[in-house]
Amino acid sequence: KQEVTQIPAALSVPEGENLVLNCSFTDSAIYNLQWFRQDPGKGLTSLLLIQSSQREQTSGRLNASLDKSSGRSTLYIAASQPGDSATYLCATGANSKLTFGKGITLSVRP
Amino acid sequence: EPEVTQTPSHQVTQMGQEVILRCVPISNHLYFYWYRQILGQKVEFLVSFYNNEISEKSEIFDDQFSVERPDGSNFTLKIRSTKLEDSAMYFCASNWEGTDTQYFGPGTRLTVL
């Protein structure tokens, strides 16, 4: 059974800092890995999806990497802004089902 | 930009009552999902639906749960006899053929008293 872990549970950084959010998973037989953003009381917004054959994806200040063999993914956020404050979840995809980590709550201090 | 919508945003019900949560997926999407998130816990997969039938379901999705696509636009989750532990945020998601990116709705917060 797939287990997805995100550590730490919370992170606070000053504005402008580059940061890396980590995600690990136990079963490397995945089709893809997706990063989401969740604002308090809101739904999930897809940020990036990496197919199992890919190593990374980029969108603006975000870059996500995937290392299937080691069961790891990272989300890199460049030049963080207060508006980046949210919970970031990673999820592995197999068939149609997503398995989520618990998320990392990021706070970017002005 | 098209988005997944869900109604109601908050539903309060008494234990043992039936509830129906409604979702309108993005119009050209063909794959539909329900997930739930108990407060403070992970988002959990419940069920996936394609071509008018369930593709996959989790162990959470027992006989108390059912899904339906009653018309060309709505996708519903029914809980026949709610339990206290069904209290959670329920998310609907969808995607179209040829992409794995799932688009999520804003969620329905279900509170069972």
Side-chain angles (χ1 to χ4, degrees):
Chain A
K1 183 187 170 185
Q2 179 73 277
E3 292 289 336
V4 179
T5 303
Q6 293 183 256
I7 296 172
L11 189 61
S12 179
V13 301
E15 181 176 4
E17 191 161 299
N18 301 325
L19 58 105
V20 173
L21 306 181
N22 294 305
C23 171
S24 61
F25 48 93
T26 55
D27 186 352
S28 61
I30 62 173
Y31 290 3
N32 55 66
L33 188 138
Q34 201 163 349
W35 281 93
F36 292 87
R37 170 184 172 137
Q38 185 175 29
D39 292 284
K42 299 291 175 77
L44 284 70
T45 301
S46 178
L47 297 173
L48 289 164
L49 181 143
I50 313 174
Q51 298 292 352
S52 62
S53 57
Q54 297 174 322
R55 298 285 294 194
E56 65 179 283
Q57 281 287 331
T58 298
S59 175
R61 293 184 295 110
L62 306 179
N63 175 275
S65 67
L66 174 64
D67 184 343
K68 271 183 56 177
S69 61
S70 66
R72 293 178 192 275
S73 175
T74 60
L75 178 67
Y76 174 82
I77 303 177
S80 58
Q81 304 169 357
D84 294 330
S85 298
T87 297
Y88 291 82
L89 297 97
C90 70
T92 59
N95 293 321
S96 53
K97 168 184 166 180
L98 291 177
T99 302
F100 283 84
K102 207 169 176 182
I104 297 173
T105 299
L106 173 66
S107 173
V108 181
R109 307 185 301 272
Chain B
E1 187 177 325
E3 56 185 23
V4 177
T5 60
Q6 291 184 243
T7 55
S9 56
H10 191 190
Q11 173 101 40
V12 181
T13 191
Q14 295 291 325
M15 189 170 57
Q17 295 296 304
E18 174 183 288
V19 295
I20 297 176
L21 309 183
R22 291 184 166 80
C23 169
V24 178
I26 296 174
S27 65
N28 59 344
H29 286 190
L30 299 177
Y31 298 83
F32 312 113
Y33 313 86
W34 285 101
Y35 294 83
R36 78 173 187 189
Q37 185 178 32
I38 295 171
L39 189 64
Q41 298 190 24
K42 294 182 179 182
V43 176
E44 302 172 288
F45 169 80
L46 293 178
V47 66
S48 60
F49 190 87
Y50 171 71
N51 202 25
N52 282 319
E53 59 184 32
I54 291 174
S55 309
E56 189 174 352
K57 60 183 181 179
S58 71
E59 59 273 14
I60 303 167
F61 195 88
D62 60 22
D63 292 344
Q64 293 299 311
F65 291 87
S66 62
V67 290
E68 192 178 29
R69 187 153 163 82
D71 53 43
S73 59
N74 289 283
F75 179 51
T76 62
L77 174 69
K78 182 193 291 186
I79 309 175
R80 261 179 269 283
S81 177
T82 50
K83 303 189 277 273
L84 295 176
E85 54 265 37
D86 293 327
S87 295
M89 182 75 93
Y90 288 81
F91 293 108
C92 172
S94 67
N95 66 282
W96 66 81
E97 203 143 26
T99 180
D100 295 322
T101 301
Q102 293 186 21
Y103 294 85
F104 281 70
T108 292
R109 180 166 297 285
L110 176 65
T111 302
V112 182
L113 302 175

